[in-house]
C-alpha cells in the first residue's frame, strides 16, 4: 500500500501535495507553519486537513510496521503464500490485518491444537466434507492413548472445526459488520444498585442500536458499567426468539462451510459445532470488538466536541489592554483581589471580607475604591463561582459610588483558575504570592486576553468537555494540545510581553526555548528585531524559520516584524516598495494604506519560491498588519435579582453565556451558579443536526426558562422564545409522528436527566 496515495485519496487532493506535506512534517515543520507559510507546496491545505493528514500518516506507518512483523512471523512458519502476502499488503486497517494474522498468530495451546497433535484433523475434515458418515463410527478409527473414547475424539474434532470457523477471515469480517449494523446494546441495572445508581436511571433498562448510539449515551452507559451500576450486553436476536433456534449468524456460518440439515448422519453434529462456535467463541470475540468500536467512536466524538469548545473559548474576544482588577469571590475566606496593568503585570493584591461572617461591606468598598483610583482600573473581572452574584452587586455599588462611567464590571468563567494557582507555572510566576491570590490574577488576565492566560492551564481543567475523564486520555491530550497550538499561532504573540507558557506553544518552540527567550529578554531588555532571537541560547536557524512569523515585535526597527509576514519574504516586500507605481516607498508608507496596496499587481512578484497564495497573504497582512482573528468583545448582562436557581420562574427570558456545547445541546450560564441546558431540539426554529451550527462556547444568547427543578439543580432552557414548557416535547413528538427527519438526541425531552446529571458531575 502506498501511504501517500492512500492519504491523497482520503483527502481528495493531489498526490504531490500530500507528498510535499509529508516531507515537510518529516523535516520537523509544524502544522501551523506549513498551513501558513508553505501553501504553494501543499496546495493550500489548512490546519484541520494537515492535522488529519498527520494522524493518518502515523496510523498507516504503524500499520506498515505491523505488516512487516506479521509477514516475517508467517514466513518463519513456512506458511507465507503469494496470495496471503498480497492480502496483507492490501489491508488498510488494523482490524482486518489482525483477522488475517489470527490463524498464524502464536498463541497458547488451544484445544484445537491439542486435538490436531492427537491426530484428529482428518476426523474433523472428513465429517465436514462427507456428512453421510456417522460421527460415532468414524471416531472409533482415531482412538489412542491421548484419545481414550469416542466422546473425546468427537470433542477434539469439534474444537478443530470451531477454531476453523472462528479464523475464517472473510466470514468473520461479514459477521462483525452485520453485528455492528444490527446489534442492540442492552443496559440493565444490577440487582441492589437502584438507589446508588439513581443518576443512571435512564439506563436501568435501556436498548439502543449500537451503530447509531450517540457518544454521550454510550459514554454514560460505559461509565455506569465501570461504576458497578449497570450491566451491558449486545443482543443479536429478539427476546421472543427461542434460544434453541439458530440465529441468522449461525446460518451464515453454516452456509459458508456448506453445512445443511438434510437428515444425514453428521448433520446434527455439524450444526452443533456451528452453534457452539458462534455462541461460545465467535460472538464473545465480536461483542468485545463492537464494544471497543463503540468506545473508540464515542471517544473520538467526545474529544472532537471538547476540542471545538476549547477552540471557541481560546479564541474568545479579548477585552483589550486595560488595567484590570480581578475578583475571586468567596464568602468565609473572603474575596481575593488582584490588580494587573494593561500588559498583565501584577500591581497589587488584597483580600476583602464583605460577606458573612464579617460583613465588612464599607471596608471592602474603601479598599476597592483605593485600588481603582491608585492604579487607574478600567475593568473589573469577577469569577463566576460561589458568591459571584453577591460580588457582582458589590462591584456595582463601587462603580455607583465612584460615579465612574469608564469603569465596567464583567463576570467571567473562572474554570481552571484554582488549577493554575496550585500549578508549577503559577508557582514559577508568583513564587511569593499566596496560592489563593494567584486565582484572582488569572481571572483578571483572562478578561484581558483569554488565550494568553488559558494556555497556562491544562486544557482538561478548563471544563468544556463531555465525559472527559472517561475518554482515551493520551488521545484527548494530543487533540487539545493541537488545538492550543493552532489557536496561539493563528493569533500570534508579542515576544516582548508573552509569558513562557504562551511562547512554548509557538511553532518550533518548546518549554526550554520559551524560558530561554524570557530569560534573554529579562537580562537584555526588549527585543528590537526578529533576527535578535537568534542570539537566544539553543534557538537556531531551523527553529527561527518555524517560529519567526508567529512572533511579533511591536515598535521595533523593522515595521514588518510586527506583522505575520515571514522574514524570508521581506525581500518580496522590498521589491513591492521599490517598484511601486507611486514611486519608491518605505514600509511605513505602505502598511495599512489600502489604496496603495491595491495598486500592486500580485502576479508581478511570483517567482520560483513564492507563489500567488503567499503573495496574496503578504498583501492582506500589509493591509491589516498583525490582525487579530478574534471577534469583538461582548458579554452578557445577567438579570438583576436572579442570583439563585430558586429565583427562576418558568417563562423568564434571560441573557446568558454558552459555557459548553455537547452533541445533545448547549449549556448556558445565566448567573445562578448552575448552567441550564438548551436541548438540541430547542436551539432554533428549524432542524439542527449539530448544535455548533447555532451556538459555540462563549456566545451571548437569550434564553427562556422552560422548567426548573431546584432540588435536583436542573434547568431546562430554550432559545425558541415562543416555546412553552410543553411545546418543546410536543414539537419533537409531532416531528416523529409526521416522519420528519430528526436528530437521535432530539427524541429525548429537553430536560434529559441523565445528561444533566452527567454534566453536573463533570462540572463538580
Amino acid at each position: 500500500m502506498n501511504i501517500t496515495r492512500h492519504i491523497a485519496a482520503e483527502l481528495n487532493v493531489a498526490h504531490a501535495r500530500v507528498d510535499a506535506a509529508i516531507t515537510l512534517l518529516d523535516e520537523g515543520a509544524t502544522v501551523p507553519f506549513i498551513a501558513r507559510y508553505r501553501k504553494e507546496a501543499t496546495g493550500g491545505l489548512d490546519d484541520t486537513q494537515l492535522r488529519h493528514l498527520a494522524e493518518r500518516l502515523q496510523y498507516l506507518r504503524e500499520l506498515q510496521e505491523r505488516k512487516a512483523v506479521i509477514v516475517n512471523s508467517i514466513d518463519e512458519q513456512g506458511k507465507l503464500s503469494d496470495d496471503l502476502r498480497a492480502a496483507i499488503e492490501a489491508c488498510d486497517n488494523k482490524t482486518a490485518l489482525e483477522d488475517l494474522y489470527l490463524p498464524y498468530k502464536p498463541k497458547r495451546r488451544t484445544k484445537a491444537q491439542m486435538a490436531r497433535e492427537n491426530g484428529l484433523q482428518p476426523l474433523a475434515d472428513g465429517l465436514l466434507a462427507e456428512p453421510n458418515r456417522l460421527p460415532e463410527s468414524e471416531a472409533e478409527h482415531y482412538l489412542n492413548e491421548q484419545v481414550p473414547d469416542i466422546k473425546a475424539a468427537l470433542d477434539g474434532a469439534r474444537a478443530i472445526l470451531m477454531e476453523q470457523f472462528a479464523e475464517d477471515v472473510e466470514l468473520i469480517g461479514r459477521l462483525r459488520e452485520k453485528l455492528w449494523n444490527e446489534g442492540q446494546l442492552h443496559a440493565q441495572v444490577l440487582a441492589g444498585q437502584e438507589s446508588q445508581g439513581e443518576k443512571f436511571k435512564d439506563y436501568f433498562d435501556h436498548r439502543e442500536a449500537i451503530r447509531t448510539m450517540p457518544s454521550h449515551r454510550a459514554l454514560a452507559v460505559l461509565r455506569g458499567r465501570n461504576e458497578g451500576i449497570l450491566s451491558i450486553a449486545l443482543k443479536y436476536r429478539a427476546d421472543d426468539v427461542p434460544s434453541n433456534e439458530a440465529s441468522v449468524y449461525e446460518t451464515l456460518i453454516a452456509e459458508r462451510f456448506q453445512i445443511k440439515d438434510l437428515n444425514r448422519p453428521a448433520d446434527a453434529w455439524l450444526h452443533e459445532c456451528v452453534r457452539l462456535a458462534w455462541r461460545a467463541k465467535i460472538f464473545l470475540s465480536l461483542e468485545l470488538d463492537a464494544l471497543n468500536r463503540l468506545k473508540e467512536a464515542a471517544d473520538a466524538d467526545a474529544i472532537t466536541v471538547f476540542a471545538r469548545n476549547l477552540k471557541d473559548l481560546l479564541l474568545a474576544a479579548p477585552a483589550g489592554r486595560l488595567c484590570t482588577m480581578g475578583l475571586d469571590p468567596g464568602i468565609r475566606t473572603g474575596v481575593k483581589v488582584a490588580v494587573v496593568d494593561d500588559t498583565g503585570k501584577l500591581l497589587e493584591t488584597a483580600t476583602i471580607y464583605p460577606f458573612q461572617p464579617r460583613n465588612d461591606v464599607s471596608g471592602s468598598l474603601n479598599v476597592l475604591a483605593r485600588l481603582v483610583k491608585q492604579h487607574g482600573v478600567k475593568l473589573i473581572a469577577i469569577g463566576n463561582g460561589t458568591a459571584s452574584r453577591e460580588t457582582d452587586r458589590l462591584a456595582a455599588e463601587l462603580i455607583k459610588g465612584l460615579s465612574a462611567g469608564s469603569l465596567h464590571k464583567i463576570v467571567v468563567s473562572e474554570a481552571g483558575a484554582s488549577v493554575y494557582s496550585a500549578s508549577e507555572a503559577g508557582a514559577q510566576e508568583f513564587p511569593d504570592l499566596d496560592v489563593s491570590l494567584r486565582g484572582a490574577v488569572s481571572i483578571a488576565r483572562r478578561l484581558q486576553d483569554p488565550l494568553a492566560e488559558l494556555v497556562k492551564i491544562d486544557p482538561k481543567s478548563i471544563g468544556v468537555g463531555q465525559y472527559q475523564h472517561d475518554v482515551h486520555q493520551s488521545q484527548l491530550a494530543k487533540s487539545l494540545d493541537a488545538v492550543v497550538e493552532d489557536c496561539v499561532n493563528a493569533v500570534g504573540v508579542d515576544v516582548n510581553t508573552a509569558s513562557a507558557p504562551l511562547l512554548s506553544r509557538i511553532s518550533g518552540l518548546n518549554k526550554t526555548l520559551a524560558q530561554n527567550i524570557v530569560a534573554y529578554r529579562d537580562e537584555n531588555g526588549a527585543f528590537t528585531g526578529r533576527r535578535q532571537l537568534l542570539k537566544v541560547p539553543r534557538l537556531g536557524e531551523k527553529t527561527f524559520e518555524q517560529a519567526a512569523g508567529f512572533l511579533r515585535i511591536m515598535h521595533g526597527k523593522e515595521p514588518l516584524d510586527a506583522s505575520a509576514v515571514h522574514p524570508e519574504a521581506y525581500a518580496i516586500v522590498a521589491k513591492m516598495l521599490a517598484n511601486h507605481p507611486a514611486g519608491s516607498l518605505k514600509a511605513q508608507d505602505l502598511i495599512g494604506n489600502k489604496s496603495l496596496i491595491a495598486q500592486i499587481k500580485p502576479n508581478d512578484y511570483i517567482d520560483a519560491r513564492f507563489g500567488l497564495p503567499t503573495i496574496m497573504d503578504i498583501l492582506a497582512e500589509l493591509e491589516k498588519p498583525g490582525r487579530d482573528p478574534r471577534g469583538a468583545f461582548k458579554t452578557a448582562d445577567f438579570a438583576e435579582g436572579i442570583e439563585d436557581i430558586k429565583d427562576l420562574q418558568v417563562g423568564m427570558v434571560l441573557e446568558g453565556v454558552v459555557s459548553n456545547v455537547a452533541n445533545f445541546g448547549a449549556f448556558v450560564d445565566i448567573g445562578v451558579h448552575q448552567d441550564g441546558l438548551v436541548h438540541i431540539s430547542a436551539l432554533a426554529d428549524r432542524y439542527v443536526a449539530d448544535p455548533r451550527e447555532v451556538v459555540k462556547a462563549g456566545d451571548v444568547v437569550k434564553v427562556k426558562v422552560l422548567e426548573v427543578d431546584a432540588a435536583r439543580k436542573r434547568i431546562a432552557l430554550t432559545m425558541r422564545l415562543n416555546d412553552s414548557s410543553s411545546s418543546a416535547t410536543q414539537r419533537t413528538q409531532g416531528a416523529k409522528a409526521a416522519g420528519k427527519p430528526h436528530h437521535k438526541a432530539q427524541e429525548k425531552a429537553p430536560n434529559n436527566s441523565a445528561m444533566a446529571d452527567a454534566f453536573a458531575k463533570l462540572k463538580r
Side-chain angles (χ1 to χ4, degrees):
M1 179 179 64
N2 185 295
I3 290 178
T4 304
R5 294 189 183 280
H6 194 87
I7 296 175
E10 288 184 351
L11 293 176
N12 194 27
V13 297
H15 172 273
R17 304 303 189 190
V18 173
D19 193 43
I22 291 175
T23 299
L24 288 165
L25 288 168
D26 287 343
E27 290 174 351
T30 66
V31 166
F33 175 79
I34 298 170
R36 181 69 176 81
Y37 297 111
R38 292 296 179 264
K39 291 181 178 178
E40 287 83 2
T42 67
L45 294 179
D46 61 27
D47 52 1
T48 301
Q49 292 173 305
L50 288 166
R51 293 285 179 198
H52 177 69
L53 185 154
E55 289 174 5
R56 292 296 292 156
L57 178 63
Q58 179 180 350
Y59 178 91
L60 293 174
R61 282 180 170 172
E62 290 174 355
L63 183 66
Q64 290 294 81
E65 291 175 2
R66 180 64 177 157
K67 286 179 182 180
V69 170
I70 288 174
V71 166
N72 185 60
S73 172
I74 299 175
D75 192 31
E76 288 179 349
Q77 299 173 43
K79 300 177 181 178
L80 184 64
S81 66
D82 291 340
D83 288 345
L84 180 57
R85 184 191 294 272
I88 291 172
E89 181 57 34
C91 273
D92 62 357
N93 69 83
K94 295 177 180 178
T95 300
L97 179 62
E98 295 303 325
D99 282 349
L100 282 172
Y101 185 39
L102 186 59
Y104 311 96
K105 188 175 184 177
K107 44 187 174 282
R108 288 180 299 178
R109 293 179 72 226
T110 64
K111 291 181 179 179
Q113 286 176 319
M114 289 185 282
R116 291 188 187 97
E117 292 169 2
N118 294 334
L120 295 175
Q121 182 72 55
L123 173 61
D125 292 342
L127 291 173
L128 180 62
E130 299 183 42
N132 287 317
R133 298 179 180 181
L134 183 66
E136 290 77 9
S137 297
E138 291 298 313
E140 289 180 351
H141 302 300
Y142 295 91
L143 302 184
N144 53 47
E145 291 184 5
Q146 287 73 36
V147 186
D149 53 38
I150 291 174
K151 181 180 183 302
L154 291 177
D155 285 347
R158 179 181 291 114
I160 291 172
L161 290 181
M162 287 172 61
E163 186 170 279
Q164 184 176 333
F165 299 162
E167 292 182 349
D168 185 284
V169 176
E170 183 179 339
L171 173 65
I172 295 303
R174 288 175 59 198
L175 295 176
R176 177 185 287 112
E177 289 308 305
K178 186 174 182 62
L179 187 63
W180 174 253
N181 288 322
E182 299 176 3
Q184 295 274 321
L185 189 70
H186 187 195
Q188 291 179 292
V189 64
L190 292 171
Q193 296 296 322
E194 291 82 359
S195 59
Q196 184 177 345
E198 176 67 21
K199 63 189 175 184
F200 296 106
K201 188 174 182 179
D202 284 1
Y203 305 106
F204 280 4
D205 186 14
H206 180 81
R207 285 179 184 264
E208 186 167 1
I210 189 170
R211 183 178 65 85
T212 57
M213 195 171 194
S215 63
H216 58 275
R217 289 209 286 273
L219 291 170
V221 167
L222 292 170
R223 177 183 287 182
R225 180 190 63 177
N226 294 340
E227 293 186 9
I229 304 298
L230 303 175
S231 67
I232 59 176
L234 191 58
K235 300 293 184 180
Y236 60 87
R237 67 162 81 215
D239 289 339
D240 57 356
V241 176
S243 60
N244 61 349
E245 184 176 315
S247 68
V248 65
Y249 298 90
E250 293 166 43
T251 300
L252 288 173
I253 298 171
E255 289 176 352
R256 172 67 174 170
F257 291 92
Q258 300 180 6
I259 297 172
K260 301 176 182 179
D261 189 1
L262 301 177
N263 292 320
R264 294 169 296 185
D267 283 348
W269 183 83
L270 288 170
H271 276 284
E272 180 67 5
C273 290
V274 169
R275 187 182 72 83
L276 289 175
W278 168 249
R279 301 187 186 189
K281 196 174 185 70
I282 299 174
F283 171 69
L284 297 179
S285 174
L286 296 187
E287 181 185 39
L288 182 60
D289 282 352
L291 292 177
N292 287 337
R293 186 171 175 178
L294 176 67
K295 177 66 163 60
E296 289 174 3
D299 279 4
D301 202 24
I303 289 171
T304 298
V305 168
F306 198 158
R308 288 174 174 175
N309 284 335
L310 178 63
K311 182 177 182 179
D312 292 337
L313 191 62
L314 292 176
L315 293 181
R321 299 183 65 168
L322 298 170
C323 184
T324 303
M325 175 189 292
L327 303 180
D328 188 357
I331 298 179
R332 183 182 58 81
T333 58
V335 177
K336 308 304 183 294
V337 185
V339 179
V340 298
D341 68 11
D342 59 354
T343 66
K345 179 182 178 182
L346 179 61
L347 300 176
E348 190 172 347
T349 62
T351 303
I352 57 176
Y353 299 89
F355 312 126
Q356 293 180 348
R358 299 194 189 184
N359 292 316
D360 184 15
V361 177
S362 177
S364 298
L365 287 172
N366 287 335
V367 171
L368 296 179
R370 178 188 65 79
L371 292 172
V372 169
K373 292 176 182 178
Q374 180 177 339
H375 300 295
V377 174
K378 299 298 181 184
L379 292 174
I380 300 176
I382 304 163
N384 67 342
T386 303
S388 66
R389 295 310 301 273
E390 296 87 341
T391 305
D392 185 48
R393 279 204 308 274
L394 183 73
E397 287 185 49
L398 172 68
I399 294 171
K400 183 178 179 180
L402 293 174
S403 298
S406 61
L407 180 62
H408 301 279
K409 62 180 178 65
I410 299 162
V411 177
V412 300
S413 170
E414 62 178 36
S418 59
V419 175
Y420 165 76
S421 300
S423 69
E424 181 183 351
Q428 288 179 348
E429 192 169 9
F430 300 110
D432 301 321
L433 190 64
D434 186 84
V435 171
S436 62
L437 290 167
R438 294 173 189 162
V441 178
S442 180
I443 289 170
R445 287 174 167 177
R446 66 179 57 189
L447 178 58
Q448 292 178 320
D449 190 341
L451 178 61
E453 191 60 25
L454 291 175
V455 295
K456 302 174 185 176
I457 302 168
D458 181 351
K460 289 183 287 187
S461 300
I462 296 177
V464 290
Q466 170 185 308
Y467 293 93
Q468 66 193 65
H469 301 295
D470 296 286
V471 303
H472 195 288
Q473 293 300 294
S474 63
Q475 291 178 4
L476 176 63
K478 182 179 179 180
S479 176
L480 299 186
D481 282 344
V483 169
V484 175
E485 182 182 30
D486 288 343
C487 289
V488 170
N489 288 282
V491 174
V493 304
D494 183 340
V495 73
N496 285 321
T497 61
S499 64
L502 183 59
L503 286 167
S504 69
R505 299 291 188 167
I506 287 294
S507 167
L509 301 184
N510 54 32
K511 184 177 179 180
T512 300
L513 284 172
Q515 291 172 340
N516 289 351
I517 290 173
V518 173
Y520 184 91
R521 186 177 71 198
D522 291 343
E523 183 177 346
N524 299 281
F527 288 91
T528 58
R530 279 172 167 165
R531 299 297 300 181
Q532 190 181 353
L533 286 162
L534 289 167
K535 297 181 180 179
V536 173
R538 301 180 67 179
L539 198 158
E541 286 286 353
K542 185 65 177 179
T543 300
F544 179 80
E545 178 189 52
Q546 296 291 311
F550 305 104
L551 297 172
R552 312 280 189 265
I553 295 179
M554 315 308 292
H555 314 297
K557 297 177 181 178
E558 170 57 71
L560 295 176
D561 284 349
S563 73
V565 178
H566 198 283
E568 66 187 11
Y570 284 2
I572 294 290
V573 179
K575 291 180 182 178
M576 292 177 179
L577 295 172
N579 302 329
H580 197 278
S584 181
L585 300 174
K586 294 182 178 179
Q588 298 92 316
D589 302 326
L590 190 60
I591 293 175
N593 192 319
K594 190 172 183 179
S595 62
L596 288 177
I597 293 171
Q599 298 176 42
I600 297 174
K601 297 179 180 179
N603 291 327
D604 291 347
Y605 299 95
I606 295 174
D607 59 23
R609 184 175 184 185
F610 300 106
L612 187 60
T614 295
I615 304 302
M616 296 305 296
D617 280 348
I618 291 171
L619 293 176
E621 188 62 23
L622 290 174
E623 186 175 326
K624 295 180 179 179
R627 64 195 183 284
D628 194 322
R630 296 173 289 184
F633 177 77
K634 59 181 178 179
T635 187
D637 291 325
F638 293 139
E640 295 292 337
I642 309 299
E643 302 173 359
D644 189 271
I645 191 171
K646 292 179 289 187
D647 298 326
L648 295 174
Q649 293 182 8
V650 173
M652 282 182 170
V653 176
L654 305 168
E655 196 166 74
V657 180
V658 177
S659 59
N660 199 357
V661 180
N663 287 334
F664 50 81
F667 292 91
V668 180
D669 179 2
I670 52 177
V672 296
H673 308 303
Q674 176 64 43
D675 292 349
L677 172 64
V678 181
H679 189 262
I680 188 172
S681 63
L683 285 170
D685 293 321
R686 58 179 175 81
Y687 166 73
V688 177
D690 180 354
R692 283 178 53 85
E693 297 173 11
V694 183
V695 292
K696 64 180 185 296
D699 280 356
V700 175
V701 296
K702 280 191 180 295
V703 294
K704 186 176 184 178
V705 180
L706 286 180
E707 296 181 29
V708 180
D709 186 341
R712 303 172 79 182
K713 294 186 177 181
R714 293 176 184 160
I715 307 166
L717 305 171
T718 178
M719 286 172 57
R720 296 166 55 104
L721 301 185
N722 293 325
D723 276 353
S724 66
S725 59
S726 60
S727 62
T729 302
Q730 292 172 349
R731 181 175 63 255
T732 303
Q733 291 173 344
K736 290 170 67 179
K740 295 179 181 178
H742 58 278
H743 194 285
K744 282 287 183 183
Q746 290 172 326
E747 296 177 3
K748 296 283 184 178
N751 59 334
N752 185 295
S753 60
M755 297 174 190
D757 275 339
F759 185 75
K761 180 175 181 181
L762 182 151
K763 295 289 280 186
R764 288 197 297 274

